[in-house]
């Protein structure tokens, strides 16, 4: 992505201005800015409590901001309900996995796929041709998504019974199943070993390339995002302290003192 | 699972059920016939609550209120004109003229129509009430729906001109028989089953499992909940109509805590979210209640039955909170021994049956 594409608001897929969230005195996120270039992988890093998850909660409409605006594809979605934001094309995963635990893996994906189709009680009860076509359609779409994530063999397993890494990938599969334009991944490698993490990075890159997704990736550790992201922002105590290409951010003195120094101590 | 083709097991089950009903009808065993009708009516009530609460996780304590609405609506609509003018002299004009006591040959189509109208009235009320209440969660919904039950009772008590207030409403034509009751029970089971294994059901169970995750994939929490609530209200009202034309006289006190508690016990014992579990739970609690009633009669320890049933309920909550079935379903093929041996233990050979 060229620098002009990133800074020009007319081509930004997501345009966030002055986004702020206050929790009774505590500022979880302050004056956050973002012009997200289409088809990029954008990294947001920062220590625990920096406001990364809060940022995702705001972008996905699950939490209402104290101030600021979010424009998605030119439309102001700041006040949209979470399910409308999802339908508009912003999907997310959660830092602490949130699957539909007692549903099967395939049903976790199907319930996301079906959101683009109309559903009616009457059509369901009489099992109308349109209803049956929709159900077949949903299954047909859900299978390849599971396969893409390497979960094809797990389709009929109960989601909560899957191994940890599979649960992480199933959550991504479910998000992808909504057919989003932007995918928000909140610490997707949390709890994974280096091999699994490497595979995951590969998967994220392929999602971007093959599905044309734009990805915002929240991560705890810098090495993860360095090789993957086109651009990186660093949050600390809710404030943006750096914003730019990985190489620039890595050498930023503020980042080194605020974050890298601490991380390397640990 | 093709939809238009009735699966073999369902067909066999329906035939067996019809045969049993026919035998029961011919036997003339009034006690068992009554019990079978009760069983059917409770199945409808429990499936209604299963959809509204078991599928969605929204704990509704108000569904017996819809049953009351159904009972009174249908009872009033089916009163013959002569009885009506005498029995309910102050009925508003538009209501006074309606008498759905017509029959085509042996078929009381008026009763059928009145039952449907009762269901529709309950649906409209549920739509209005649910649009507000289904936004709430947890304890708030439980308390609010309980409030609805109380309001229905107060209205029934005070709408003297229409309901006769606290006086017994009698003279209801005894239309309900084995066939009506079980016909509707089969429909209730079918509706619950269809919904559970549909996109709608997936949305209901998804938002039950995790509301945040559900919203994150575009599910508006209100919609599946409201649909479940309204469908449950319809079925509850149907049960109310059947009940009214079964016992033929009742008062508002019937539709209150006792019945609410009884239906919840049946659902919890069977497993909230399981369609087959709801039937099993209903049978079990009904049998237990009947046995206890006899013990009461023999020992003259009246009230013992209620206490033991409550203890049973508490024991289930403590030792098996998800009930007999949880959200799973009985695998009929396995029970009836129809599954070919080579397919046993291969879950991928079967359609998904998990909530
Ligand atoms: N619902 C909430 N109520 C109060 N404080 C919150 C809430 N959510 C997050 N916070 C606070 O906001 C800050 C940022 O949290 P979070 O966004 O989860 O950080 P991160 O994801 O970067 O670790 C933390 O201090 C956290 O305690
Ligand atoms: Mg976080």
């Amino acid at each position: 992505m060229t620098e002009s594409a990133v800074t020009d608001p007319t081509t930004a897929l997501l345009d966030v201005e002055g986004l702020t969230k206050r929790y009774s005195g505590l500022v979880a996120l302050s004056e956050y800015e973002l012009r997200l270039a289409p088809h990029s992988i954008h990294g947001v890093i920062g220590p625990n409590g920096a406001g990364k998850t809060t940022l995702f909660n705001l972008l996905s409409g699950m939490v209402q901001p104290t101030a600021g605006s979010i424009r998605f594809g030119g439309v102001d979605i700041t006040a949209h309900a979470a399910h409308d934001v999802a339908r508009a094309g912003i999907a997310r995963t959660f830092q602490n996995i949130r699957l539909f635990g007692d549903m099967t893996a395939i049903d976790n994906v199907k319930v996301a796929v079906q959101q683009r189709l109309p559903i009616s009680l009457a059509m369901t009860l009489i099992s109308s041709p349109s209803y049956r076509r929709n159900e077949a359609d949903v299954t047909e779409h859900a299978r390849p998504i599971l396969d893409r994530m390497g979960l094809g063999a797990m389709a009929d397993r109960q989601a909560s019974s899957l191994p940890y890494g599979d649960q992480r990938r199933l959550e991504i599969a479910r998000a992808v199943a909504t057919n989003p334009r932007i995918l928000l991944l909140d610490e997707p490698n949390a709890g994974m070993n280096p091999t699994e993490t490497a595979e995951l990075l590969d998967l994220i890159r392929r999602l971007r390339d093959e599905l044309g997704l734009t990805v915002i990736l929240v991560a705890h550790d810098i090495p993860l995002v360095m090789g993957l992201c086109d651009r990186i922002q660093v949050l600390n105590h809710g404030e943006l302290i750096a914003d730019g290409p990985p190489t620039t951010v890595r050498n930023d003195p503020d980042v080194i003192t605020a974050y890298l120094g601490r991380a390397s101590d640990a | 699972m093709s939809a238009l083709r009735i699966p073999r097991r369902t067909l066999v089950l329906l035939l067996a059920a019809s045969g049993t009903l026919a035998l029961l009808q011919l036997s003339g065993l009034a006690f068992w016939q009554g019990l079978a009708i009760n069983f059917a009516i409770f199945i409808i009530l429990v499936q209604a609550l299963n959809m509204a609460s078991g599928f969605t996780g929204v704990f509704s304590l108000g569904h017996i209120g819809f049953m009351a609405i159904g009972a009174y609506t249908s009872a009033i609509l089916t009163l013959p004109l002569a009885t009506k003018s005498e029995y309910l002299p102050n009925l508003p004009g538009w209501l006074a003229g309606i008498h759905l006591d017509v029959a085509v040959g042996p078929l009381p189509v008026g009763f059928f129509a009145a039952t449907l109208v009762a269901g529709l009235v309950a649906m409209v009320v549920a739509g209005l009430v649910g649009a507000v209440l289904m936004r709430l969660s947890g304890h708030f919904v439980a308390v609010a729906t309980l409030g609805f039950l109380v309001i229905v009772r107060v209205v029934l008590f005070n709408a003297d001109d229409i309901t006769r207030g606290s006086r017994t409403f009698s003279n209801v034509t005894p239309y309900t028989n084995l066939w009506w009751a079980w016909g509707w029970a089969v429909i209730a089971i079918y509706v619950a089953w269809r919904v559970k294994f549909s996109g709608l059901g997936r949305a209901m169970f998804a938002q039950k499992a995790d509301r945040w995750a559900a919203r994150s994939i575009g599910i508006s929490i209100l919609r599946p909940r409201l649909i479940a609530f309204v469908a449950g209200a319809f079925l509850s009202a149907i049960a109310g109509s059947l009940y009214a034309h079964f016992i033929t006289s009742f008062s508002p006190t019937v539709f209150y805590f006792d019945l609410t508690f009884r239906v919840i016990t049946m659902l919890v014992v069977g497993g909230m979210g399981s369609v087959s579990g709801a039937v099993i739970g209903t049978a079990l609690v009904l049998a237990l209640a009947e046995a206890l009633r006899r013990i009461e009669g023999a020992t003259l320890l009246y009230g013992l039955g209620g206490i033991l049933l409550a203890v049973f309920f508490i024991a289930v909550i403590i030792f098996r909170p998800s009930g007999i079935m949880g959200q799973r379903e009985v695998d009929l093929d396995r029970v009836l021994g129809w599954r070919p041996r080579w397919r046993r233990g291969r879950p991928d050979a079967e359609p998904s049956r998990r909530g």
Side-chain angles (χ1 to χ4, degrees), chain A residues 57 62 83 86-87 98 100 102-103 107 110-111 114-115 119 124-125 127 131-132 135 156 158 174 178, chain B residues 3 190 194-195 197-200 202-203 206 210 212-220 223 327 352 354-355:
Chain A
N57 288 344
M62 306 205 131
H83 63 265
R87 281 162 180 266
R98 284 174 172 268
F100 307 126
D102 43 24
M103 290 166 56
D107 274 355
K110 276 169 143 186
V111 73
Q114 78 189 35
Q115 292 310 316
I119 286 186
T124 302
L125 291 183
S127 189
Y131 164 79
R132 276 177 288 141
E135 278 289 296
D156 292 319
Q158 195 176 331
R174 184 182 67 188
T178 63
Chain B
Y190 170 83
R194 258 264 165 270
V195 168
F197 297 105
S198 71
L200 209 46
R202 279 195 297 270
D210 192 316
W212 274 60
R215 288 157 74 210
S216 83
I217 56 167
I219 297 174
S220 140
R223 202 175 122 80
Q327 293 186 5
S352 149
R354 280 210 176 93

Side-chain angles (χ1 to χ4, degrees), chain A residues 207-263:
Chain A
L207 286 179
R208 189 263 303 267
D209 296 342
E210 293 167 16
L211 301 178
L213 290 179
T214 306
V215 179
I216 306 183
L217 178 72
V218 154
H220 193 68
D221 51 323
I222 283 213
L224 172 74
V225 289
M226 276 302 160
L228 185 67
C229 297
D230 305 300
R231 194 174 152 203
I232 292 175
Q233 289 179 318
V234 186
L235 282 175
N236 193 27
H237 297 302
E239 312 250 359
L240 261 183
I241 58 167
D243 186 347
T247 42
T248 322
V249 167
R250 184 169 43 196
N251 301 321
D252 188 300
D254 282 348
V255 176
I256 292 167
T257 45
Y259 180 61
L260 290 182
R262 194 183 309 173

Side-chain angles (χ1 to χ4, degrees), chain B residues 107-174:
Chain B
L107 264 189
V109 288
F111 168 51
F112 182 65
T115 303
L116 281 183
V117 173
L120 293 177
V121 170
M123 276 177 96
V124 171
V125 175
L128 297 172
V129 172
V132 180
L133 296 195
M134 291 303 108
R135 291 167 202 277
L136 308 172
S137 279
H139 310 305
F140 297 104
V141 199
V143 173
T145 48
L146 193 62
F148 170 73
L149 181 65
V150 173
I151 290 170
V152 169
R153 180 176 149 104
V154 170
V155 169
L156 290 177
F157 263 129
N158 289 289
D160 276 72
D161 291 351
I162 301 174
T163 64
R164 292 175 49 83
S166 58
R167 286 172 299 163
T168 303
F169 193 109
S170 46
N171 287 332
V172 186
T173 322

Side-chain angles (χ1 to χ4, degrees), chain B:
Chain B
M1 274 226 298
S2 163
L4 284 183
R5 203 167 38 114
I6 301 176
R8 185 177 67 155
R9 55 165 183 271
T10 310
L11 203 63
V12 170
L13 219 62
L14 279 178
L15 286 174
S18 308
T20 312
L21 284 188
L23 281 178
L24 193 56
Q25 180 89 61
L26 290 172
S27 73
L29 297 168
F31 167 77
W32 291 101
Q33 290 173 350
L35 195 63
I37 290 173
N38 253 320
F39 185 23
I41 292 174
F42 272 114
I43 284 178
I44 301 169
L45 288 172
V46 176
Q47 293 299 1
L49 189 66
N50 197 15
M51 273 201 278
S53 294
F55 290 11
T56 64
V58 177
F59 211 68
S60 168
L61 295 173
H63 268 75
I64 296 303
F66 295 117
M67 183 193 186
I69 291 174
Y72 275 93
T73 306
S74 174
I76 293 165
L77 289 178
T78 52
L79 274 186
L81 267 189
T83 324
K84 209 172 212 170
S85 56
E86 207 178 300
Y87 196 55
L88 298 169
N90 301 322
L91 215 53
W94 59 274
L95 252 181
I98 303 174
H99 57 106
L100 295 171
D101 55 349
V102 285
V104 174
L107 264 189
V109 288
F111 168 51
F112 182 65
T115 303
L116 281 183
V117 173
L120 293 177
V121 170
M123 276 177 96
V124 171
V125 175
L128 297 172
V129 172
V132 180
L133 296 195
M134 291 303 108
R135 291 167 202 277
L136 308 172
S137 279
H139 310 305
F140 297 104
V141 199
V143 173
T145 48
L146 193 62
F148 170 73
L149 181 65
V150 173
I151 290 170
V152 169
R153 180 176 149 104
V154 170
V155 169
L156 290 177
F157 263 129
N158 289 289
D160 276 72
D161 291 351
I162 301 174
T163 64
R164 292 175 49 83
S166 58
R167 286 172 299 163
T168 303
F169 193 109
S170 46
N171 287 332
V172 186
T173 322
Y175 288 120
T176 302
N177 58 21
L178 280 173
W179 302 102
W180 282 115
W182 277 95
W184 280 110
V186 166
I187 289 173
I189 293 168
Y190 170 83
V191 168
W193 186 271
R194 258 264 165 270
V195 168
K196 178 170 178 177
F197 297 105
S198 71
L200 209 46
R202 279 195 297 270
M204 290 172 187
F205 279 97
Q207 63 82 39
K208 175 185 182 181
D210 192 316
R211 268 183 290 156
W212 274 60
R215 288 157 74 210
S216 83
I217 56 167
I219 297 174
S220 140
I221 304 295
L222 182 63
R223 202 175 122 80
R225 284 184 173 189
L226 193 55
I227 291 174
F229 189 71
V230 169
F234 177 83
L235 287 178
S236 296
I238 300 295
S241 169
L242 290 167
Y243 180 78
H245 296 275
F246 175 50
I247 60 163
T248 68
S249 68
F250 50 85
S251 68
T253 45
V254 172
F255 309 102
Y256 217 42
F257 294 148
D258 272 6
L259 205 49
T260 302
F261 182 65
R262 178 68 53 96
V263 171
I264 289 173
T265 306
M266 289 167 167
L267 181 60
V268 169
V269 167
M272 294 190 73
S274 170
V275 179
S276 47
V279 177
I280 295 169
T282 306
L284 206 66
V285 173
L286 207 60
L288 198 61
E290 189 53 39
L292 290 171
R293 201 177 58 82
R294 294 187 170 208
I295 293 173
E296 273 182 354
T299 58
L300 300 181
L301 290 170
Y302 293 104
L304 182 72
I307 293 171
L308 289 181
L309 257 186
V311 169
F312 174 65
F313 177 70
I314 292 166
V316 168
I317 295 268
I318 292 172
F319 297 110
R320 205 178 164 97
S322 58
I324 294 170
M325 295 301 297
Q327 293 186 5
R328 288 163 298 123
E329 298 295 346
V330 171
D331 187 340
L332 271 183
D333 288 352
R334 181 170 295 169
V335 171
L336 300 175
W338 281 345
R339 189 197 303 255
R341 195 169 286 281
W342 57 270
R343 277 169 73 190
R344 275 200 189 126
R346 269 182 54 193
D348 53 344
E350 283 292 298
S352 149
R353 277 292 145 74
R354 280 210 176 93

Side-chain angles (χ1 to χ4, degrees), chain A residues 53 95 186-187:
Chain A
T53 298
Q95 184 176 345
D186 197 349
E187 305 207 16

